[in-house]
Amino acid sequence: EDQVTQSPEALRLQEGESSSLNCSYTVSGLRGLFWYRQDPGKGPEFLFTLYSAGEEKEKERLKATLTKKESFLHITAPKPEDSATYLCAVQPYSGNTPLVFGKGTRLSVIA
Amino acid sequence: DVKVTQSSRYLVKRTGEKVFLECVQDMDHENMFWYRQDPGLGLRLIYFSYDVKMKEKGDIPEGYSVSREKKERFSLILESASTNQTSMYLCASSTGGGRAGELFFGEGSRLTVL
């Protein structure tokens, strides 16, 4: 069964304190791994797609990396506006299968 | 600008009522999805559609049905609402092919069933 596990469930950082969020996955064949950001009371917003091990993508203070078993979302010198829930999802290769989402990591950045 | 619009942000319904949640996208996307999101359970897929008049069951279809008569519109129907269907409902769409996993979400519809 395809599965995505995110850790930690919640993370509290001081402004400027860099850290990483983890997304471990089990999938029959990986078509793509996706990161989303969700603000309270809103729908998730797409951030990155990673397709193969070794690939990296960057956007402002965020950098996503991918290995054969996990992905990391690195947050460098975070600001309070980076506070959100970050969701990871995988798309299996089998047919036209929808995304499998993790439960997310709730990030709080304190000024 | 890309947009997925859900008809109601907040709804309050009574047990047993029929509830319609509407979703419209303006991006000519082939794929549309309905999720519900609950604390501690994450996003759970209810139904999805890869084409007009086509529908597929997701992980938790019981108690729900859907309709996709036009490409841009995907409706979620609760035939007889129950209290355990109180939740945040999220609609999403995506294009086909290699970017099918890049979902665009609506703002959500928060449904309370009393």
Side-chain angles (χ1 to χ4, degrees):
Chain A
E1 185 187 341
D2 303 319
Q3 212 165 10
V4 176
T5 304
Q6 292 188 245
S7 61
E9 286 186 21
L11 181 62
R12 191 178 168 97
L13 299 173
Q14 291 294 127
E15 185 172 3
E17 180 187 0
S18 301
S19 188
S20 297
L21 312 183
N22 178 262
C23 170
S24 298
Y25 62 90
T26 307
V27 66
S28 46
L30 183 69
R31 177 173 284 182
L33 184 140
F34 303 83
W35 282 98
Y36 289 81
R37 170 193 168 124
Q38 186 175 21
D39 292 307
K42 296 197 169 182
E45 180 184 348
F46 168 72
L47 290 173
F48 302 112
T49 308
L50 300 165
Y51 292 105
S52 55
E55 190 175 357
E56 298 183 354
K57 293 270 178 76
E58 280 190 71
K59 182 179 181 178
E60 295 181 0
R61 294 175 292 282
L62 300 177
K63 182 167 83 172
T65 62
L66 180 65
T67 73
K68 288 189 176 177
K69 292 189 174 180
E70 57 192 349
S71 176
F72 292 94
L73 186 65
H74 306 277
I75 304 176
T76 302
K79 298 183 177 182
E81 53 262 42
D82 295 321
S83 297
T85 296
Y86 291 86
L87 299 170
C88 173
V90 296
Q91 185 177 24
Y93 244 119
S94 51
N96 214 354
T97 311
L99 298 185
V100 178
F101 277 91
K103 293 183 179 178
T105 293
R106 190 173 63 254
L107 174 66
S108 301
V109 182
I110 312 302
Chain B
D1 209 14
V2 157
K3 201 150 179 138
V4 176
T5 303
Q6 295 184 228
S7 53
S8 307
R9 288 299 310 275
Y10 301 95
L11 303 96
V12 179
K13 298 292 180 181
R14 297 266 177 209
T15 301
E17 279 192 77
K18 192 168 185 175
V19 181
F20 293 88
L21 299 179
E22 305 283 343
C23 175
V24 177
Q25 51 94 2
D26 64 0
M27 298 160 282
D28 200 35
H29 281 170
E30 291 86 350
N31 309 326
M32 295 191 75
F33 307 84
W34 274 107
Y35 291 88
R36 64 177 283 179
Q37 187 172 37
D38 302 286
L41 297 178
L43 279 169
R44 292 182 291 168
L45 182 62
I46 305 171
Y47 268 97
F48 60 102
S49 168
Y50 288 140
D51 202 352
V52 177
K53 296 193 187 293
M54 197 227 115
K55 60 187 178 186
E56 297 269 358
K57 291 181 180 179
D59 300 317
I60 52 162
E62 297 79 17
Y64 303 94
S65 62
V66 290
S67 171
R68 192 166 182 202
E69 295 296 318
K70 293 185 177 181
K71 189 176 184 180
E72 67 269 19
R73 187 179 298 270
F74 194 36
S75 303
L76 180 69
I77 303 146
L78 288 67
E79 295 289 342
S80 177
S82 63
T83 54
N84 63 12
Q85 292 178 310
T86 292
S87 186
M88 170 70 96
Y89 289 88
L90 289 160
C91 175
S93 72
S94 71
T95 189
R99 300 183 70 175
E102 296 177 17
L103 303 186
F104 292 86
F105 283 85
E107 293 275 275
S109 299
R110 185 165 291 283
L111 172 67
T112 301
V113 183
L114 302 174

